[in-house]
Amino acid sequence: MKRVRHSPAQVFALPLLIALATIAGLVLGLTGDGARDLAAALLAGIAPLAIIAMLARRT
Amino acid sequence: MTRRAIRTWYLIHKWSSLIPTAFLLMLCVTGLPLTFHDEIDAAMGADAAERLAGAPSADEGLPLDTMLAKAQAERPGEVPLFMAFSQDSPLLTVTMGPTPDAVPEDMTLLFLNRHTGASLGPAPTNTVMDFLLQLHTDMFLGLPGMLLLGAMGVLFVLALISGVVLYAPFMRKLDFGTVRKSRSSRVRRLDQHNFIGIVAFAWMLVVGVTGAINAFADPLTDNWRDGEVARMTTAYADAEPLEPENYGSIDAAMAAAKEALPGRSPQFIGFPGGAWSSGHHYAIFFQGDRPVTQHLLTPALVDAETGTLTDARTMPALNQALMMSKPLHFGDYGGLALKLIWAALTLATIWVLWTGILLWLRRKPGHIERRIEEIRTGGSTFRTAAAT
């Protein structure tokens, strides 16, 4: 087993990025249609894609 | 993080999750189809009124007084309660009821075409979707049901926050995204619970907070009417409520309101004596004039007898938060792609709730210390025990 120890900053770096992308997407979708909706879906879609990637991985 | 702190957060997480879990599962299961209510209505052919040809009823069409007379002819002896406009089609809706302060159960929603003047009859109902919506909103218990679900929403938010706090000690020795599928089913379940929970956290927080705010919609609206509206209409404080036969022209009232709030699109009119107006006014609600403020409504209060403007003021911050909460909770504002994301994350939430229940049900018998050790070591309790 690896002997690494992560600091809270390391533990939360990626979750924080995903959370910010989600919130940016949700807010962006509120501010307009068309290109903004597309950008909103791309940003908010990161979280479900990460979950799908985890479920699809075989280890 | 000390053992003591982990113990406290673990207990917060346990109880703030266990208490609302059954309600949250119900909300997820009913919310999933509700997200797609537009598509389901369209598939069932219940969207005919939304596909009418002509200019949006919010912009132009036949006089509003003409449209109201048509609605009243359909429900003789009743009074108008609301008139609502579409930004996309000539569809105009009028809500009628037996008295100005009628309860929702006694109201009738009528569809009209503002372009042709045709009465389209009562709004089509979708029994299944209406049932799901009411179960989701108040479980058929009225205001107490809404407040109960609101309280469950607050607990859910607490569960999310405590879950994030416990994620830190658990992941100290693990890389992001670790799901140990070769270890025991408990370890796999813990890893999935933590990973899906942290990834979907922001979405769950937004939907949880906005859902809790929506649960308090009725008290917030009452509070606005009894406070802000009363202050806007102090000159009418001692006046008797206006009788429906003395209601004046809506077209004149609309013209006065548009003069006060130029360039904005009307969304609905609250008639005198209802939850959304004073006893003496048409409250005409306008959308914001920019995309960002489109969901924020500003009411113009117009004397319903004379058609002169009394006041127009933006709503208080709490009511504005309520208005922004609706789209953010429903997820119906960004096209089909956003709805699919809503669906995927609702399924993810169900999975987090379900793995949470299993982790609690299938815990090894023993003291709470075992669970704390599990969190502290990232699920490798046996190894740690052997090493020490």
Side-chain angles (χ1 to χ4, degrees):
Chain A
M1 192 178 175
K2 281 186 293 179
R3 286 287 155 209
V4 288
R5 287 173 75 93
H6 299 306
S7 69
Q10 288 169 316
V11 167
F12 284 115
L14 279 168
L16 188 67
L17 267 181
I18 294 174
L20 289 176
T22 304
I23 290 179
L26 298 193
V27 173
L28 201 62
L30 275 178
T31 63
D33 293 327
R36 277 168 191 262
D37 277 348
L38 182 68
L42 289 175
L43 284 167
I46 292 174
L49 285 179
I51 293 169
I52 291 167
M54 182 276 284
L55 292 174
R57 206 174 47 200
R58 305 195 145 273
T59 40
Chain B
M1 204 172 193
T2 64
R3 286 189 80 92
R4 203 184 158 76
I6 293 176
R7 181 193 174 92
T8 306
W9 284 107
Y10 165 74
L11 286 172
I12 293 173
H13 190 62
K14 175 181 167 182
W15 290 108
S16 62
S17 311
L18 274 180
I19 295 168
T21 283
F23 294 97
L24 294 172
L25 279 171
M26 178 278 285
L27 291 170
C28 286
V29 171
T30 52
L32 200 52
L34 286 171
T35 307
F36 295 97
H37 68 96
D38 288 331
E39 286 75 11
I40 293 171
D41 283 350
M44 297 174 81
D47 66 332
E50 279 83 38
R51 289 189 275 109
L52 302 172
S57 62
D59 296 345
E60 58 186 272
L62 294 170
L64 299 175
D65 293 324
T66 310
M67 301 309 296
L68 184 64
K70 286 176 185 287
Q72 282 177 308
E74 277 190 74
R75 306 289 300 178
E78 291 199 341
V79 297
L81 306 172
F82 297 101
M83 176 181 275
F85 305 92
S86 167
Q87 318 297 326
D88 308 312
S89 83
L91 176 69
L92 181 95
T93 68
V94 175
T95 308
M96 302 289 295
T99 55
D101 60 351
V103 291
E105 294 78 55
D106 296 334
M107 296 179 185
T108 307
L109 181 67
L110 300 172
F111 276 11
L112 300 114
N113 182 338
R114 197 183 172 190
H115 183 64
T116 63
S119 289
L120 307 173
T125 52
N126 185 333
T127 323
V128 177
M129 294 303 276
D130 290 349
F131 174 84
L132 290 178
L133 180 61
Q134 195 155 6
L135 190 60
H136 191 93
T137 311
D138 67 3
M139 302 182 294
F140 299 90
L141 297 171
L143 184 61
M146 280 179 90
L147 297 180
L148 176 68
L149 289 179
M152 294 304 127
V154 172
L155 282 175
F156 178 49
V157 171
L158 198 58
L160 290 172
I161 294 169
S162 54
V164 169
V165 172
L166 291 174
Y167 182 81
F170 188 87
M171 295 301 290
R172 232 164 18 139
K173 294 177 188 163
L174 300 172
D175 290 329
F176 176 74
T178 301
V179 176
R180 292 160 290 180
K181 293 183 179 173
S182 53
R183 297 273 300 276
S184 71
S185 58
R186 181 173 181 86
V187 168
R188 193 185 66 232
R189 220 168 262 148
L190 252 176
D191 285 346
Q192 287 186 348
H193 182 82
N194 290 334
F195 176 73
I196 300 179
I198 201 76
V199 167
F201 167 73
W203 180 85
M204 293 193 286
L205 188 70
V206 167
V207 174
V209 167
T210 54
I213 294 176
N214 280 324
F216 298 99
D218 287 357
L220 281 173
T221 306
D222 289 348
N223 192 46
W224 165 77
R225 188 196 53 205
D226 296 341
E228 183 91 344
V229 171
R231 279 192 294 279
M232 289 162 79
T233 59
T234 41
Y236 297 82
D238 300 323
E240 289 289 309
L242 191 63
E243 292 298 326
E245 56 267 28
N246 296 329
Y247 290 177
S249 165
I250 308 173
D251 291 292
M254 181 62 83
K258 280 189 166 168
E259 204 169 307
L261 299 168
R264 297 193 188 205
S265 185
Q267 193 172 82
F268 74 94
I269 304 175
F271 280 67
W276 289 87
S277 191
S278 78
H280 232 276
H281 290 82
Y282 292 133
I284 307 180
F285 287 80
F286 290 90
Q287 295 188 345
D289 47 5
R290 286 175 299 142
V292 193
T293 58
Q294 189 199 324
H295 300 278
L296 290 175
L297 304 180
T298 303
L301 295 180
V302 181
D303 186 314
E305 196 170 15
T306 64
T308 51
L309 181 84
T310 301
D311 202 352
R313 274 189 217 174
T314 54
M315 293 183 87
L318 264 178
N319 297 84
Q320 301 214 17
L322 172 64
M323 289 186 276
M324 292 309 283
S325 288
K326 288 184 193 269
L328 281 171
H329 188 74
F330 303 155
D332 59 355
Y333 59 88
L336 188 60
L338 200 66
K339 291 184 183 185
L340 290 171
I341 289 169
W342 239 252
L345 291 172
T346 304
L347 291 173
T349 307
I350 292 175
W351 191 244
V352 174
L353 292 169
W354 180 242
T355 49
I357 295 172
L358 290 179
L359 285 168
W360 175 71
L361 278 178
R362 308 227 174 124
R363 65 199 183 280
K364 293 177 215 110
H367 204 254
I368 178 176
E369 295 304 324
R370 269 197 154 166
R371 242 115 278 140
I372 295 167
E373 193 61 21
E374 197 172 47
I375 295 165
R376 219 174 61 81
T377 59
S380 44
T381 36
F382 297 118
R383 193 154 314 180
T384 317
T388 48

